[in-house]
Structures are given as structure tokens and as C-alpha cells.
Amino acid sequence: MNTPFSRFSEYFIAVAKTGSLRKAADQLFISVSAVHRQIALAEEELGIVLFERLPSGLKLTLAGELLYADVLKWQKEFQQTRIRFDEIQGLTRGSIEFGLISALNDGFVMQSMQYMYENYPWINFNIRVADSEVVAKKIIDAELDFGLILNPKSHQHLEVVHFLELPLGFVMGTLHPLAQVEKIYFSDTLNDNHFIPSEPLIIHDYVQAMYKHHKFIPARKTESNDIRLMNALIKENLGIGIFSYLDVLPDVERNELVFKPILERGLHPLTIALCVAPKRQISRVSQLMIKHITEQMEALKTKMQQL
């Protein structure tokens, strides 16, 4: 909580900065209707219009500008209050040690990092980026407070705190002819260059199994173990790919790529798990970050249900 009165201030600032309900909602990992409801309720309770509704977006009115300045001032003052609270709770020092796979170095984990930096600027971080097996081992060996990995294996010394199932789907540029199609079939992509994840990417086996199941052999293909590279090429409308929602989440949120989920029986989604080692004593600040990441994962789950 950034202010002492309600979540409205967070929504209000996001809309003021972006000039858009949609962009604000994407930043906050919530629905557009939730942002609109908070703004409308505030205008009704205050009895004054805070934003001008223009064809190009939303612009602060004079009243909105006054409130914006006050909210920033209140946030700054409340930050000092939080510091005093943290001193009482012993949160003025310490470090957070966590690991994650490289696919998560953008998106909701960065939102949690930003939250921790803003609210606990005196905390140190030790972040390890590696594949899932390496991160899992470091968690089990109590070298890390927690970690985010794909498809965790059952282990008595690895506890899954929260998990998120990620659908697989067709990925294409916003100008691709299939971008506006509701459901895509493999036969629709016969003339496309297919971008295919190669080993050691975990999604490689999933994609290969899907091609085999549909008895589909791409006429043209580009294989790579670099998802970012393939996403960049797909943005240029040079082909189509099959990735997990996690692989393209930041680009989809920026409206640079389109993700069409593949909904088939027997198709198992990838699972991203937030894990800890039961035998490691987790610091208070790490617990706070785990809580925030869990909330971000739940918000993302709600968003995926709307796909």
C-alpha cells in the first residue's frame, strides 16, 4: 500500500501518467473496468471531474492536476511514515536472495522488484538467473530465500508456495492476417515461416510434441534457443511461432505481439512455481516480496482467463 487512504491513488497516478485506462490497467495487472470504477467513484464522491475524456486519451483537469500534486506529496510523506514503521519492525536492513529463470527477467517479477525498491530502498538484493534445475538446487541447498522455476520436480526439500499454469499458443505480429482470427488451426499456417524453440529451452519438447500430434511439418522454419530474438523477428511479420504466454507476456502487454491460446484436450500447460526451502529461515523482507509476487501471479491468472 503506497498511500494511507486507498488503492485509488495508485490507479489515479497510473492513469495520469499514461493518459489511458488500458495502459494503466496493463501496468497494474488489473482489468480496465477496475481502474474505471475507482476513477468514476472518486469523481462522484468528490463532486468534480478529474479527467477530460478526449479522443486521444485522458487528460487531467485543473482539479485533477491539483489532486495529482497532493497525492505525490502524500505519498512522499507517507513513505517517511513507512520508514518509521519499518524501523519498529526491524525492516531497515537485510537482503533478499532469490533466483529465477531468464524468461522472467521482464514482466510481473520486475513489477515486484520495482515495488520493493520503492518501498524498501535500503534492502540489498542478490539475484541469480539460471535454468530451473540450478535455481531449484540452490533453493534446496538453502542458498536462496526463494525462486521462480518452470515445471518443478517433486522434492521433499522444495516447497511450492504458489504456482501459475501458462497456456501455449500461436504468436504473431499485430499486422499478421491471422491476428484478428478467433481460432487458428495448423492448416492456417501452411504458408508461414515457423519460429521454433530449440533445445535446451523447456518449451522445445512441448512444441515438438504438438507438431507431431497434428502431423504437421512446417515448409519453412527458423529454429533458435533465444526467445527474444524470435519475438523480435515475429514483430517484423517474418513468421509465426508457438510459445508459452510467459515467453511473450511483455510484448503482448505492449501490443507488439498477438497471442492466440491453443485449447486442446491433453495439452498440458507449462507451470511456473514460486518455491522455497522449508528448512531455510526466510527474512521478513523476503516474505513481503513473496507475498507481492503471489499477488502479481494471481492478477496474471485473472488476465489469462480473459484470453
Side-chain angles (χ1 to χ4, degrees), residues 177-184 188 260:
L178 296 176
Q180 305 303 321
V181 177
E182 184 174 348
K183 182 174 176 58
I184 300 175
D188 297 328
K260 299 286 185 177

Side-chain angles (χ1 to χ4, degrees), residues 5 23 27 39 59 62 66 101 131-132 136 148 166 168 172 178-180 182 186 188 203 207 229 231 237 245 296:
F5 46 97
K23 292 179 180 178
Q27 279 188 6
I39 299 298
K59 180 182 177 182
L62 176 58
L66 291 172
I101 54 174
D131 61 42
S132 292
L148 287 146
L166 302 160
L168 272 65
M172 66 213 71
L178 296 176
Q180 305 303 321
E182 184 174 348
F186 273 81
D188 297 328
I203 193 176
V207 174
L229 171 63
N231 284 346
N237 214 31
Y245 188 61
Q296 295 287 87

Side-chain angles (χ1 to χ4, degrees), residues 90-96 116 120 122-124 145-146 282-291:
L91 294 175
T92 56
R93 61 184 62 85
S95 63
I96 298 176
M116 296 303 294
Y120 307 98
W122 46 86
I123 299 301
N124 298 313
D145 294 327
F146 63 92
I282 300 176
S283 67
R284 173 66 174 149
V285 285
S286 289
Q287 292 175 22
L288 289 172
M289 187 168 180
I290 288 172
K291 180 178 182 295

Side-chain angles (χ1 to χ4, degrees), residues 78-92:
F78 188 59
Q79 179 67 29
Q80 296 302 313
T81 303
R82 285 291 303 272
I83 291 174
R84 290 193 289 270
F85 287 166
D86 292 338
E87 288 174 349
I88 296 172
Q89 294 179 298
L91 294 175
T92 56

